[in-house]
Amino acid sequence: MLQIRIIVLLLLLLNPFSSNSFVQTKTLSKVEITKLTKQATAYRTSANFEKSLATSRIALHYSFAIKDDYLIATSYNSIALNYDELSEYDKAIFYFNKGLSYANKIDNDKLKDWLNNNLGNIYCFNIKQNAKGISYYKKALEYSTKSADTSSNVLTKLNIAWAYFDVGNFKEGFPYLKFVNTYHPKFGNESTIVILNMLNGMYNGHIGENKKAESYFLNAIKLGNKGSGKEDLSYSHQEYSKFLLKNGDYKKAYENLALYDKITEELYNQEKLKKANVAGINLELDEYKREIDKIETEKKLQSQSLRKSKIIEVLFIVVFFFLLLLLYSLYKNYNFKKKINIELTDANEELQIAKEKAEEASQLKTQFVSTISHELRTPLYGVVGITNMLLDEHKELAGSPHLDSLKFSARYLLSLVNDILHINKIEENRIVLENLIFNVPDEINMIKNSLSFIAQNHNNKISVEIDTKIPEFLIGDKLRLSQILMNLISNALKFTKNGEVIVTANLLKIENKYYFIEFKIKDNGVGIATSDQDKIFEKFVQVGRKENDYQGTGLGLAIVKRLLELFKSEICLQSKIGEGTTFKFTIAFEFDPNKTFEIINNIKVDLSSSQIFKVLVVEDNKINQTVTKKIIEKNNCSCVIVDDGYQALEILKKENFDVILMDINMPLMNGFETTRKIRLKGIYTPVIALTAFAKDEITEEALSAGMNDIIIKPFEPVKLFQVINDQINKARKISLS
């Protein structure tokens, strides 16, 4: 078939009358070309593809002759639609894109809408690239909306609904169908009424409204028989056949499928397709001729450039002479550079050795940080858990500021440990600020209470001044703000004796919904020398330290500076030796009562108290066992604890559990290996990793081992039971299906 086509092409190229039969005719006007395009559309509608392609070819030729981009685009569109009907989709896409390239040269949104719609049709319904096709539809919607063309909007949304329905996505497609049903009576046309009835039939069949569905399908077929567009009638018979087959009416389903085949065969008989193929070859020859003309034009330009090149040759000889002089100069310098290069090579080798050593040190540092992270988080889980247990078991102390301070300090200590261990992440801006609701006076007073013992040790007083214009509730990362204030206030108390630390918060300005609040921490302590003020924000730097007078790591102010950068803020320092120090910074927090109300309503609560789950905890640390068991039993769940993976495998032979909480770092057999053995035994109970490792370090191995989720210790009980509920519900849905 390919060889025959090549021979035909060669014959047509050799025949001067084959592709240029209309070259000698007079130029047509825009009106006459538009009539040709409409005639081509009429031929295509009646499935006479040969005449449609031939007419489109003539229209395209004269459109190029008068250099009208709009008519060129519409002619290409007409050609592409024929190839679409003939199922030559690669050619259809080629010509649609050719048309779109000319449409983009002019300011005609309706034409761009039209072409994008057609590309959406071919990608969705012919080559089944649904997502790409819908992206073209949505581009078409942009143009129809821009041009306020509601009729085109209705047509495009009809196509989008059909595209979603075609792949069974009725949920996404229904809003578009609903829009079309509303506006079609006023802005639609008769050409889409058949498909609209068909889509309503498909949707009602999907939701079980079978009587409505059948009524819509029959109406679509009735209207299709009356109209001239038999292709829509064939689609209606096809979708009605699927509906009947789904509902067990096999006889009618077969009859409608036969009608679909009959109509399709009538539309696309072989004789018409052969004639259309010849017309298509002529179109391709026209494209080749245009390319040849383009090449001839380029040749003329090259000829002109050759004449100019003679002058360039003379200039080149002159330049070449100077280049020879330069080459001689370079040669003289070569020996000198060669010597320098040898020295540089030696230096590079030394640098490479130093680089390898630095990389090795970096790997050791990463391993060390990971180990320290796990070893610190494990006891912190016990601290946080036991603090919560004290508050739960001694309700009479619920209002105690000391226990509140203890709980806050435990939470702060966890955050501080995480930030110190991940200071590289802070510097790489890998920490994302959260949007939480908080009250500025509450946060500052909680910090004041938690630092009261430091103030008492140095006989200091902490004063708090809050601007009354600051709203009661703001939205922002309150934990990071607390960490900044905690570091600055504790630093002020540490370097002040028998003095006062004043913490103020003032509203500076309001821009839209953002309130810019200036925080100031002022002390009358020892002060900082001017020469040291640029150093104190560096890591591990402490100025004015004498033996054991002042405690600390030297990381506090470095963390403050980096955290403020996340808030897009910076810290200001004013200090004099013997007079005290003032730190000042400004942060913009959002104030939006509606959003605040929404956040409060969206806070997930633990609803697991009404359900009794049986939980297996695999954990070797006795303190952690106690804390985890207390959390689980407090939420009306039963809990069985084993010390290692082997015990877990033994108990799973005898008992069934709703969920398994699995520690990772255990003796004998770690959590990953234990989970793999559980899965090999055909046990599909949800396994949740309960670990002190950083999540990004173990996610890949946890998933490959068969774990369902990961929770990092310490954690909030609410978070734990949200994950437990989610995993148990997923497991039950899978078992039911």
Side-chain angles (χ1 to χ4, degrees), residues 9 19 88 126 166 174 184 187 197 209 245 361 364 366 372-373 385 455 494 506 514 601 661 665 693 720:
L9 282 169
S19 61
E88 294 195 49
N126 295 326
D166 192 51
F174 176 68
H184 191 275
F187 297 100
N197 275 274
E209 294 285 346
L245 184 64
L364 290 172
T366 301
I372 289 297
S373 171
K494 185 168 63 175
N506 291 311
Y514 287 91
N601 286 339
L661 303 182
N665 193 19
F693 283 110
L720 172 65

Side-chain angles (χ1 to χ4, degrees), residues 197-225:
N197 275 274
M198 182 193 79
L199 293 178
N200 277 298
M202 291 172 70
Y203 180 74
N204 280 281
H206 170 71
I207 63 174
E209 294 285 346
N210 292 338
K211 288 185 179 180
K212 285 185 179 181
E214 184 154 16
S215 174
Y216 277 117
F217 279 125
L218 292 174
N219 197 36
I221 293 168
K222 178 181 176 183
L223 293 169
N225 281 314

Side-chain angles (χ1 to χ4, degrees), residues 467 470 506-510 515-519 585-586:
D467 191 342
I470 297 174
N506 291 311
L507 179 62
L508 287 187
K509 62 178 179 177
I510 303 172
Y515 281 58
F516 289 76
I517 299 175
E518 180 189 69
F519 296 91
F585 61 90
T586 302

Side-chain angles (χ1 to χ4, degrees), residues 650-683:
E650 285 299 319
I651 198 169
L652 285 169
K653 292 179 182 177
K654 306 170 187 176
E655 298 184 44
N656 294 323
F657 294 89
D658 294 301
V659 68
I660 301 169
L661 303 182
M662 180 74 67
D663 188 25
I664 299 297
N665 193 19
M666 294 186 295
L668 303 179
M669 182 164 56
N670 66 33
F672 299 131
E673 187 61 27
T674 304
T675 304
R676 288 191 186 96
K677 290 185 181 295
I678 289 172
R679 296 307 185 218
L680 287 173
K681 291 181 179 292
I683 299 171

Side-chain angles (χ1 to χ4, degrees), residues 159-171:
N159 286 335
I160 295 175
W162 193 358
Y164 278 123
F165 286 7
D166 192 51
V167 295
N169 193 345
F170 289 91
K171 182 179 178 181

